[in-house]
Amino acid sequence: MSEQGNTEPSGDLCIRTLAMPADTNANGDIFGGWLLSQMDVGGGVFASKVAKSRTVTVAIEAMNFRKAVYVGDLVSVHANLVRVGRTSMTVHLEAWALRRREEHPFLVTDGNFTYVSIDDHGRPQPISRTDPPIAT
């Protein structure tokens, strides 16, 4: 997992998107809720890949909003598997931004998200452990 001083993202790239004017708050910065939702979408993609099933978000903890995101920033969400339980998993997500005319991305937000594997009826189900964990 990256610390604030690291200069490169680590883990699986889950989603990459461009911050647009419609995603801003009243101050003209990208709304934190938009960024959080992008992280959850990316984390959900990763969790479903690990669980090989539908997953739902059940908790978000230790969110750190480190730097502002602006219109035009390219935002990438990277995931690292922290823990796998019987029906749930914890995923550390990092959002990195790349500004126009800059060469290196920087960490803007990170946090731990917990997902639960569910069946077709929305009930928790065991996560299959037949395969080795996803390499990060």
Side-chain angles (χ1 to χ4, degrees):
M1 288 177 236
S2 295
E3 294 298 325
Q4 195 169 359
N6 282 9
T7 58
E8 293 295 323
S10 66
D12 283 18
L13 173 63
C14 300
I15 193 171
R16 181 172 282 154
T17 190
L18 188 64
M20 300 294 284
D23 307 318
T24 59
N25 61 23
N27 297 318
D29 301 328
I30 295 301
F31 180 55
W34 176 85
L35 186 55
L36 183 106
S37 72
Q38 297 304 308
M39 293 176 73
D40 193 27
V41 168
V45 167
F46 180 81
S48 290
K49 186 171 143 183
V50 171
K52 297 179 185 60
S53 70
R54 290 176 55 198
T55 58
V56 292
T57 309
V58 296
I60 299 172
E61 55 188 298
M63 285 296 296
N64 300 298
F65 290 91
R66 299 177 185 279
K67 296 193 180 202
V69 176
Y70 300 114
V71 171
D73 286 355
L74 184 61
V75 177
S76 302
V77 176
H78 298 260
N80 286 288
L81 188 60
V82 174
R83 179 197 66 81
V84 177
R86 192 177 79 76
T87 62
S88 68
M89 72 185 75
T90 302
V91 178
H92 183 76
L93 295 169
E94 296 179 350
W96 291 72
L98 180 62
R99 296 243 155 93
R100 285 177 280 211
R101 296 190 277 282
E102 290 192 16
E103 295 180 25
H104 301 289
F106 53 93
L107 182 64
V108 292
T109 308
D110 66 308
N112 293 327
F113 288 57
T114 302
Y115 298 90
V116 169
S117 174
I118 59 170
D119 63 19
D120 292 337
H121 303 288
R123 292 185 298 256
Q125 68 178 4
I127 296 171
S128 170
R129 297 187 193 217
T130 56
D131 295 334
I134 296 215
T136 55

